[in-house]
Amino acid sequence: MVDIITKKRDGHALTPEEINFFINGYVTGAIPDYQASALTMAIYFRDMSDQEIATLTEAMVHSGDTVDLSGIRGVKVDKHSTGGVGDTTTLVLAPLVAAAGVPVAKMTGRGLGFTGGTIDKLESIPGFHVTLTPEQFIRSVNEDQIAVIGQSSELVPADKKLYALRDVTGSVESIPLIASSIMSKKIAAGADAIVLEVTTGAGAFMKDEEGAVRLAETMVRIGRHVGRTTAAVITDMSQPLGRAVGNALEVKEAIETLRGAGPDDLKELVLTLGSLMVCAAGKMTDPGAAREQLESLLNDGRALEKFRQFVANQGGDPNVIDHPDSLPAARFQIELPAEHSGYITELAADQIGLAAMQLGAGRATKDDRIDPAAGIVLHKKVGDPVKQGESLLTIHSNRQDVTEVTAQLKRSIRFGSRSVRPKLIHGTITE
Ligand code: URA
Ligand code: CA
């Protein structure tokens, strides 16, 4: 291990044998944390070649169980986002592409911090659960093209250990380590093809666009190396996506979007990612034509029907689709009036995410309980004109005192004299 550390420290590429030795030894406990942290720091400074990153990813995949989805007919396409605030995408995208015939076999987790997990959002629907047996999961996908199951704790143990180590040793922000971490989990979960949403901006993991592009390119190249078609879309996460931030609030937003309405940015992102997924699944070849088909599935109600079927299959009350008001609602709804007239120039996604978390919409530690009703609904987005006194957003809270949250939200909003709208989609990277 000392030789491997000094070799990387001096800027040389590691062989597959060396990378496998490290991952196996670290997972079994033969290699101590202090040597692993020296190596991750050396990787942080010296980077890795495509070959090394692909080998590292595969070694991580094989550090634990892998999911066998071969019992599901068709090309299984998974989507992953590097995270955001109010990111309602999966709730709309999954039933939409399922309605287009793409098998959606999703394994997903709970949220930590201000990025809410898809399961937390779905569980705000009364009765909804993700505790399916593997057989039920596979049967549902074969029959109805869609099912969601909770994450198995046995997947990619190397990532769990390495991520916890990086988190406390200053080596999280390393592109080869992030890329192998994300891709190993998607591959272990059984995806044949992967569509990535790499977010950039205040609410994202990669704050600047250049880093987001490099991360996206690295992950697409890993996909090619390991034989899984991978595409990535670089998206703006400087402000929250859509208008709703919070679990039941986002389910309501998803239902509106599945009805063909909903916020423009959410709809645009869903259509962009969805058309890549439909093409990756081999259902269509032209992304433009795929997009048109997805739009018609939103407009003619078939996507919404797929969502209804999915909710009912997993024990949820399908009545929420026609009566979203039966979702959990907060006791207090408090408006935040604009202090100035002008244009909104900033709605800092990370600050708004923290405010939603303080209301109970997210978890500060992994044992915290979520309040499904809590959250924020934005009435204005960046670039919109506002008049002094007009409501900027509604706070949904089960606690009457929202003084701190209001102060936090005020700090997240800036006004100016010009309307500038951030570009939502910065680009698409394919093989
Ligand atoms: N998300 C991950 O899953 N892994 C990383 O290393 C960083 C973000
Ligand atoms: Ca949203």
Side-chain angles (χ1 to χ4, degrees), residues 255-273:
I255 293 168
E256 280 166 31
T257 310
L258 285 163
R259 283 188 193 288
D264 291 341
D265 57 348
L266 175 59
K267 189 168 171 175
E268 173 62 29
L269 183 55
V270 162
L271 291 172
T272 304
L273 293 167

mmCIF file of all heavy atoms in Angstrom, residues 255-273:
data_model
loop_
_atom_site.group_PDB
_atom_site.id
_atom_site.type_symbol
_atom_site.label_atom_id
_atom_site.label_comp_id
_atom_site.label_asym_id
_atom_site.label_seq_id
_atom_site.Cartn_x
_atom_site.Cartn_y
_atom_site.Cartn_z
ATOM 1 N N ILE A 255 -47.859 16.231 -10.071
ATOM 2 C CA ILE A 255 -49.174 15.896 -10.629
ATOM 3 C C ILE A 255 -49.603 16.956 -11.646
ATOM 4 O O ILE A 255 -50.073 16.625 -12.740
ATOM 5 C CB ILE A 255 -50.223 15.719 -9.493
ATOM 6 C CG1 ILE A 255 -49.873 14.477 -8.655
ATOM 7 C CG2 ILE A 255 -51.638 15.607 -10.061
ATOM 8 C CD1 ILE A 255 -50.651 14.350 -7.352
ATOM 9 N N GLU A 256 -49.399 18.226 -11.301
ATOM 10 C CA GLU A 256 -49.723 19.304 -12.257
ATOM 11 C C GLU A 256 -48.941 19.145 -13.554
ATOM 12 O O GLU A 256 -49.465 19.325 -14.650
ATOM 13 C CB GLU A 256 -49.341 20.676 -11.672
ATOM 14 C CG GLU A 256 -50.333 21.255 -10.702
ATOM 15 C CD GLU A 256 -49.699 22.430 -9.943
ATOM 16 O OE1 GLU A 256 -48.828 23.137 -10.503
ATOM 17 O OE2 GLU A 256 -50.068 22.606 -8.762
ATOM 18 N N THR A 257 -47.646 18.815 -13.414
ATOM 19 C CA THR A 257 -46.793 18.689 -14.591
ATOM 20 C C THR A 257 -47.213 17.483 -15.427
ATOM 21 O O THR A 257 -47.212 17.526 -16.655
ATOM 22 C CB THR A 257 -45.315 18.605 -14.158
ATOM 23 O OG1 THR A 257 -45.055 19.688 -13.256
ATOM 24 C CG2 THR A 257 -44.375 18.717 -15.351
ATOM 25 N N LEU A 258 -47.615 16.399 -14.756
ATOM 26 C CA LEU A 258 -48.084 15.210 -15.467
ATOM 27 C C LEU A 258 -49.433 15.461 -16.153
ATOM 28 O O LEU A 258 -49.845 14.696 -17.028
ATOM 29 C CB LEU A 258 -48.199 14.026 -14.496
ATOM 30 C CG LEU A 258 -46.860 13.394 -14.095
ATOM 31 C CD1 LEU A 258 -47.013 12.535 -12.837
ATOM 32 C CD2 LEU A 258 -46.291 12.541 -15.237
ATOM 33 N N ARG A 259 -50.111 16.522 -15.750
ATOM 34 C CA ARG A 259 -51.351 16.921 -16.435
ATOM 35 C C ARG A 259 -51.065 17.784 -17.648
ATOM 36 O O ARG A 259 -51.985 18.292 -18.285
ATOM 37 C CB ARG A 259 -52.236 17.761 -15.508
ATOM 38 C CG ARG A 259 -52.973 16.985 -14.475
ATOM 39 C CD ARG A 259 -53.971 17.880 -13.742
ATOM 40 N NE ARG A 259 -54.463 17.204 -12.562
ATOM 41 C CZ ARG A 259 -55.311 16.177 -12.606
ATOM 42 N NH1 ARG A 259 -55.782 15.760 -13.756
ATOM 43 N NH2 ARG A 259 -55.676 15.587 -11.488
ATOM 44 N N GLY A 260 -49.763 18.039 -17.906
ATOM 45 C CA GLY A 260 -49.411 18.878 -19.051
ATOM 46 C C GLY A 260 -49.247 20.337 -18.664
ATOM 47 O O GLY A 260 -48.885 21.171 -19.492
ATOM 48 N N ALA A 261 -49.513 20.668 -17.383
ATOM 49 C CA ALA A 261 -49.289 22.049 -16.928
ATOM 50 C C ALA A 261 -47.958 22.078 -16.174
ATOM 51 O O ALA A 261 -46.995 21.488 -16.637
ATOM 52 C CB ALA A 261 -50.460 22.490 -16.063
ATOM 53 N N GLY A 262 -47.900 22.745 -15.040
ATOM 54 C CA GLY A 262 -46.676 22.750 -14.237
ATOM 55 C C GLY A 262 -45.694 23.804 -14.703
ATOM 56 O O GLY A 262 -45.866 24.417 -15.754
ATOM 57 N N PRO A 263 -44.631 24.023 -13.907
ATOM 58 C CA PRO A 263 -43.652 25.073 -14.222
ATOM 59 C C PRO A 263 -42.854 24.756 -15.505
ATOM 60 O O PRO A 263 -42.536 23.596 -15.760
ATOM 61 C CB PRO A 263 -42.715 25.066 -13.013
ATOM 62 C CG PRO A 263 -43.340 24.204 -11.986
ATOM 63 C CD PRO A 263 -44.328 23.323 -12.648
ATOM 64 N N ASP A 264 -42.539 25.791 -16.259
ATOM 65 C CA ASP A 264 -41.845 25.619 -17.541
ATOM 66 C C ASP A 264 -40.486 24.946 -17.404
ATOM 67 O O ASP A 264 -40.110 24.109 -18.219
ATOM 68 C CB ASP A 264 -41.620 26.989 -18.211
ATOM 69 C CG ASP A 264 -42.934 27.597 -18.671
ATOM 70 O OD1 ASP A 264 -43.925 26.846 -18.813
ATOM 71 O OD2 ASP A 264 -42.964 28.827 -18.895
ATOM 72 N N ASP A 265 -39.706 25.359 -16.365
ATOM 73 C CA ASP A 265 -38.343 24.803 -16.265
ATOM 74 C C ASP A 265 -38.389 23.308 -15.957
ATOM 75 O O ASP A 265 -37.651 22.514 -16.561
ATOM 76 C CB ASP A 265 -37.473 25.588 -15.253
ATOM 77 C CG ASP A 265 -38.047 25.664 -13.844
ATOM 78 O OD1 ASP A 265 -39.232 25.309 -13.651
ATOM 79 O OD2 ASP A 265 -37.315 26.097 -12.927
ATOM 80 N N LEU A 266 -39.276 22.917 -15.052
ATOM 81 C CA LEU A 266 -39.393 21.495 -14.710
ATOM 82 C C LEU A 266 -39.796 20.692 -15.949
ATOM 83 O O LEU A 266 -39.225 19.641 -16.252
ATOM 84 C CB LEU A 266 -40.422 21.323 -13.587
ATOM 85 C CG LEU A 266 -40.768 19.885 -13.184
ATOM 86 C CD1 LEU A 266 -39.548 19.121 -12.730
ATOM 87 C CD2 LEU A 266 -41.832 19.890 -12.081
ATOM 88 N N LYS A 267 -40.759 21.213 -16.687
ATOM 89 C CA LYS A 267 -41.250 20.510 -17.869
ATOM 90 C C LYS A 267 -40.149 20.374 -18.930
ATOM 91 O O LYS A 267 -39.955 19.312 -19.521
ATOM 92 C CB LYS A 267 -42.434 21.302 -18.431
ATOM 93 C CG LYS A 267 -43.174 20.594 -19.523
ATOM 94 C CD LYS A 267 -44.478 21.321 -19.780
ATOM 95 C CE LYS A 267 -45.150 20.777 -21.019
ATOM 96 N NZ LYS A 267 -46.463 21.397 -21.218
ATOM 97 N N GLU A 268 -39.414 21.473 -19.129
ATOM 98 C CA GLU A 268 -38.335 21.467 -20.114
ATOM 99 C C GLU A 268 -37.266 20.427 -19.757
ATOM 100 O O GLU A 268 -36.791 19.663 -20.602
ATOM 101 C CB GLU A 268 -37.718 22.882 -20.180
ATOM 102 C CG GLU A 268 -36.469 23.018 -21.030
ATOM 103 C CD GLU A 268 -36.714 22.678 -22.490
ATOM 104 O OE1 GLU A 268 -37.858 22.867 -22.965
ATOM 105 O OE2 GLU A 268 -35.752 22.223 -23.154
ATOM 106 N N LEU A 269 -36.896 20.392 -18.476
ATOM 107 C CA LEU A 269 -35.867 19.445 -18.039
ATOM 108 C C LEU A 269 -36.346 18.003 -18.201
ATOM 109 O O LEU A 269 -35.605 17.132 -18.675
ATOM 110 C CB LEU A 269 -35.492 19.741 -16.584
ATOM 111 C CG LEU A 269 -34.369 18.887 -16.007
ATOM 112 C CD1 LEU A 269 -33.122 18.974 -16.862
ATOM 113 C CD2 LEU A 269 -34.059 19.329 -14.588
ATOM 114 N N VAL A 270 -37.593 17.765 -17.834
ATOM 115 C CA VAL A 270 -38.154 16.421 -17.945
ATOM 116 C C VAL A 270 -38.171 15.967 -19.409
ATOM 117 O O VAL A 270 -37.817 14.826 -19.725
ATOM 118 C CB VAL A 270 -39.579 16.404 -17.334
ATOM 119 C CG1 VAL A 270 -40.356 15.197 -17.795
ATOM 120 C CG2 VAL A 270 -39.501 16.462 -15.810
ATOM 121 N N LEU A 271 -38.546 16.866 -20.314
ATOM 122 C CA LEU A 271 -38.594 16.486 -21.733
ATOM 123 C C LEU A 271 -37.194 16.238 -22.286
ATOM 124 O O LEU A 271 -36.984 15.324 -23.084
ATOM 125 C CB LEU A 271 -39.312 17.569 -22.550
ATOM 126 C CG LEU A 271 -40.825 17.680 -22.277
ATOM 127 C CD1 LEU A 271 -41.415 18.901 -22.984
ATOM 128 C CD2 LEU A 271 -41.560 16.406 -22.726
ATOM 129 N N THR A 272 -36.209 17.036 -21.838
ATOM 130 C CA THR A 272 -34.833 16.857 -22.310
ATOM 131 C C THR A 272 -34.267 15.516 -21.830
ATOM 132 O O THR A 272 -33.726 14.732 -22.612
ATOM 133 C CB THR A 272 -33.940 18.010 -21.796
ATOM 134 O OG1 THR A 272 -34.510 19.238 -22.221
ATOM 135 C CG2 THR A 272 -32.521 17.894 -22.314
ATOM 136 N N LEU A 273 -34.402 15.257 -20.520
ATOM 137 C CA LEU A 273 -33.875 13.994 -19.974
ATOM 138 C C LEU A 273 -34.666 12.811 -20.519
ATOM 139 O O LEU A 273 -34.103 11.773 -20.861
ATOM 140 C CB LEU A 273 -33.946 14.011 -18.444
ATOM 141 C CG LEU A 273 -33.034 15.016 -17.726
ATOM 142 C CD1 LEU A 273 -33.437 15.148 -16.255
ATOM 143 C CD2 LEU A 273 -31.569 14.596 -17.823
#
